[in-house]
Amino acid sequence: MAATDPRTANLAALLRALRVGPLSRTQLAARCGLTKAAVSGLITELTDRGLVRSAGLQGGGNGRPSQLVELNGASAYGLALSVEADRFAAVVTNLDGRVVAERTETADVAALGLHRSMDELAFLAGQVLRDEQPVGVTVSVPGLVDSAAAVLRFAPTLRWRDAEIADLLAARLGLAADAIMVDNEANLGAVGEAVAGVGRGVRELFYLSGGTGVGGGLVSGGAILRGARGFAGEVGHIAVDPSGEQCPCGRVGCLETKAGLNAVLRGAASPGDPLHDPALGVDGRVGLLKHRVQRGDQRAVGAVSELGVALGIAVSTVVDVLDPDVVVLGGYFAELGEWLVEPVRRELSARPLGHEPACRVEPSPLGTTAPLRGAAHLATERLFADPTLVPFLTEEAPA
């Protein structure tokens, strides 16, 4: 495979090094452990592929100024796609991580079914890509994902089982199936926070995602911690109330029975209330709930208070086991962060191990966009592992 070829590995090392900003060939040689002559040849190839460009001269020394090179951010693009219970979303980013196009479409995804949903997702991808060919595609889905096979094993909110997402999309997008990655939205949310949110520079980050269900993702040393079968992070079924409701999983008092959005909304309002109107979508209903809490509506305040206690119990268990540097409240939890962070911190500080202040608890600054940001990052990472995915600008490649 090209990724194991020494020259390809060196091209990738140089490309990754340039993420910090413009560097000279001498600096690149020192950073990557290569000779300056080798770097010059590799930079010529990266330039011929359009991936790097001249960035002027580096002055300030006693000798002759050095020529700098930098990433050409607009030379390649990654595509991030998202499937949620009430919407599809698509984002295109360049090599610098800048969003160049995005679009969201509301839908009753479960009612559409798998194949019509893939049609809609592919159509949305075409709208944001236009004539561009992405170097990679990452699809965010809610549920248990076999990421190695790019198969969604089970998504209860979508009513999908063993959905071969990569194969279905590859046929619709005209791409090879191995260019398409599929992952759980909480895992991707953790990646998004690690590269563009509160987790930048943090080694161990746990991301707690709130939606119709509750999920979690752990990034350790820059990589997703998946577990033996790829299903790590399923915190929605941590028991938080032994005398509580029965969960669809068969257990009693799972976190999802307390923190799943529908459960919280049932606590906040009676049947028939606009809070239960699916036409408002998740964002609309959470926004209405937030407005009621701000207004002092006692039932809404009580529901969010109970949510904070449940999250605190679950998070303290996660922290006892995983010992992360930071816990990020994502999904709809982020929108209610001002009422949830303190209950979680209180529960942590009351635990025997006394985690605070060593473990931070923060609402996600990226909100519901964190999984898409993580998906976009992984889509472009494919190129940073193998720059030869981008062809030469001219048919005649350098010797």
Side-chain angles (χ1 to χ4, degrees):
M1 291 176 61
T4 63
D5 176 77
R7 184 175 181 84
T8 300
N10 288 335
L11 288 169
L14 291 177
L15 205 60
R16 289 193 297 269
L18 288 170
R19 277 178 155 168
V20 302
L23 294 171
S24 70
R25 286 163 174 77
T26 300
Q27 290 171 323
L28 285 167
R31 285 172 180 259
C32 299
L34 299 169
T35 66
K36 189 175 177 182
V39 167
S40 293
L42 294 166
I43 289 297
T44 296
E45 179 171 340
L46 291 173
T47 302
D48 289 340
R49 292 182 186 275
L51 294 172
V52 303
R53 61 192 175 191
S54 173
L57 297 176
Q58 180 186 47
N62 295 324
R64 189 171 64 182
S66 300
Q67 178 69 54
L68 296 173
V69 292
E70 66 181 359
L71 280 178
N72 179 9
S75 61
Y77 300 91
L79 172 64
L81 300 172
S82 172
V83 180
E84 299 177 47
D86 65 338
R87 77 187 83 178
F88 303 107
V91 167
V92 175
T93 60
N94 67 10
L95 294 191
D96 295 326
R98 184 173 64 85
V99 174
V100 297
E102 57 186 319
R103 190 162 184 135
T104 301
E105 175 188 321
T106 58
D108 184 344
V109 177
L112 282 175
L114 174 60
H115 290 277
R116 286 179 61 196
S117 292
M118 293 299 100
D119 290 339
E120 290 296 320
L121 199 60
F123 176 75
L124 201 62
Q127 288 185 308
V128 293
L129 281 172
R130 298 176 186 161
D131 297 327
E132 300 294 341
Q133 188 81 345
V135 293
V137 180
T138 307
V139 187
S140 169
V141 288
L144 295 175
V145 178
D146 181 345
S147 58
V151 173
L152 173 61
R153 292 301 179 196
F154 181 47
T157 60
L158 306 180
R159 301 199 290 272
W160 295 356
R161 282 186 182 273
D162 295 324
E164 297 179 344
I165 303 291
D167 288 340
L168 292 170
L169 276 177
R172 288 164 170 81
L173 295 176
L175 297 172
D178 64 3
I180 300 175
M181 296 174 283
V182 183
D183 214 327
N184 170 267
E185 57 88 22
N187 283 341
L188 294 173
V191 173
E193 291 295 337
V195 299
V198 297
R200 282 177 291 188
V202 168
R203 179 169 176 80
E204 308 284 336
L205 176 148
F206 187 79
Y207 177 84
L208 187 64
S209 174
T212 305
V214 178
L218 178 71
V219 168
S220 177
I224 298 170
L225 186 66
R226 298 186 181 278
R229 283 160 293 278
F231 302 149
E234 286 299 311
V235 297
H237 301 289
I238 290 176
V240 297
D241 184 3
S243 61
E245 299 177 21
Q246 184 169 24
C247 180
C249 76
R251 300 173 185 170
V252 172
C254 291
L255 179 61
E256 282 194 5
T257 67
K258 296 287 187 179
L261 179 59
N262 290 334
V264 174
L265 295 179
R266 284 196 302 271
S270 302
D273 188 279
L275 274 178
H276 304 296
D277 183 0
L280 293 177
V282 171
D283 291 345
R285 285 179 286 171
V286 173
L288 182 56
L289 175 62
K290 180 177 180 179
H291 175 69
R292 291 186 182 182
V293 175
Q294 290 171 327
R295 207 177 58 201
D297 181 293
Q298 289 305 302
R299 187 161 177 178
V301 169
V304 172
S305 177
E306 287 187 23
L307 170 61
V309 172
L311 290 181
I313 295 170
V315 167
S316 62
T317 300
V318 168
V319 171
D320 282 347
V321 173
L322 299 177
D323 191 26
D325 294 300
V326 59
V327 172
V328 184
L329 303 183
Y332 90 85
F333 298 148
E335 188 68 14
L336 301 175
E338 61 186 289
W339 299 284
L340 299 179
V341 168
E342 284 308 316
V344 174
R345 288 174 176 165
R346 282 197 301 271
E347 185 66 29
L348 283 175
S349 63
R351 303 291 283 186
L353 296 182
H355 298 290
E356 288 287 351
C359 176
R360 292 189 290 124
V361 180
E362 304 286 350
S364 167
L366 303 176
T368 56
T369 69
L372 269 172
R373 294 294 295 273
H377 174 76
L378 292 186
T380 54
E381 276 298 290
R382 192 164 177 263
L383 178 64
F384 285 98
D386 182 2
T388 65
L389 291 170
V390 171
F392 291 99
L393 296 178
T394 62
E395 293 184 6
E396 185 176 341

